[in-house]
Amino acid sequence: QVTQEYKPSAVFQLQQETLQLNSMPPPPQQLIIHVSMAKGSGATYAENDPFEVQFSAEEDSYVRLIYRDVNGETIPLWDSPGPLRSGEAHRLPPRLSNGKPMWTVDCESGCGPETLVVVASTSPLPPPSTASPWLLGDYVRGIQQQLEQSPGSPRTALLTLSLTTIKQE
């Protein structure tokens, strides 16, 4: 049996976009946030593993989770319904009423290197782009520009986490 690594058609674009994200300058009014995933950034998640993010910030913050899958599709995953309280640890998304995680890893469209971006701001975040397809780097840059033009100079943060998804047979 031969196993071949999944190579999405947009692999070059994904590599370029990752470099672009990693080289973006920090926002001018930096907000301090703490973000972690259960297995940590860079970890491997098997299909059907629970997928949750732990978040806390030094100030009440609006939060958006943006996901780029192995095929380069960028998906706004979750927006806080209002500002999350500072000084508290928040599990994103909140668990279901039965206590189980709301999200699990899905490899239906492929598995491999994927990216999670966490954007936080002391002001409400602009709505997600409805244009499709859109590049994660362009989207994040657009959010930063809109927030910089907001009244009151909101404090913002941007954190990129990587993970690898695998299908277990």
Side-chain angles (χ1 to χ4, degrees):
Q1 178 180 7
V2 176
T3 303
Q4 190 170 16
E5 181 182 349
Y6 178 72
K7 299 248 187 207
S9 60
V11 70
F12 179 74
Q13 172 195 332
L14 295 173
Q15 291 168 341
Q16 292 300 102
E17 193 172 69
T18 299
L19 288 173
Q20 179 189 31
L21 280 171
N22 292 337
S23 66
M24 289 181 86
Q29 299 291 324
Q30 187 74 25
L31 171 67
I32 305 298
I33 63 173
H34 304 280
V35 179
S36 64
M37 296 185 295
K39 294 184 178 183
S41 184
T44 299
Y45 287 78
E47 187 171 34
N48 297 318
D49 275 355
F51 185 79
E52 295 178 306
V53 177
Q54 299 293 322
F55 174 89
S56 65
E58 67 177 13
E59 295 182 50
D60 291 359
S61 307
Y62 294 86
V63 178
R64 177 171 297 146
L65 303 180
I66 306 161
Y67 198 76
R68 185 185 64 198
D69 72 11
V70 69
N71 297 304
E73 183 178 352
T74 302
I75 306 153
L77 272 185
W78 186 82
D79 274 285
S80 60
L84 299 181
R85 293 178 51 105
S86 64
E88 294 180 16
H90 301 274
R91 183 179 296 151
L92 310 178
R95 288 196 169 195
L96 298 171
S97 59
N98 63 6
K100 292 187 178 183
M102 188 179 291
W103 296 335
T104 58
V105 172
D106 178 10
C107 288
E108 189 173 310
S109 62
C111 286
E114 303 191 345
T115 303
L116 175 70
V117 175
V118 180
V119 180
S121 175
T122 54
S123 291
L125 295 165
S129 171
T130 56
S132 181
W134 42 279
L135 298 176
L136 184 56
D138 292 343
Y139 175 71
V140 169
R141 195 180 321 45
I143 287 176
Q144 284 182 322
Q145 289 170 350
Q146 290 180 43
L147 288 171
E148 287 170 9
Q149 297 168 3
S150 296
S153 298
R155 292 168 43 88
T156 59
L158 171 76
L159 186 64
T160 302
L161 304 161
S162 62
L163 62 144
T164 300
T165 55
I166 60 171
K167 187 173 192 112
Q168 292 191 333
E169 298 178 21

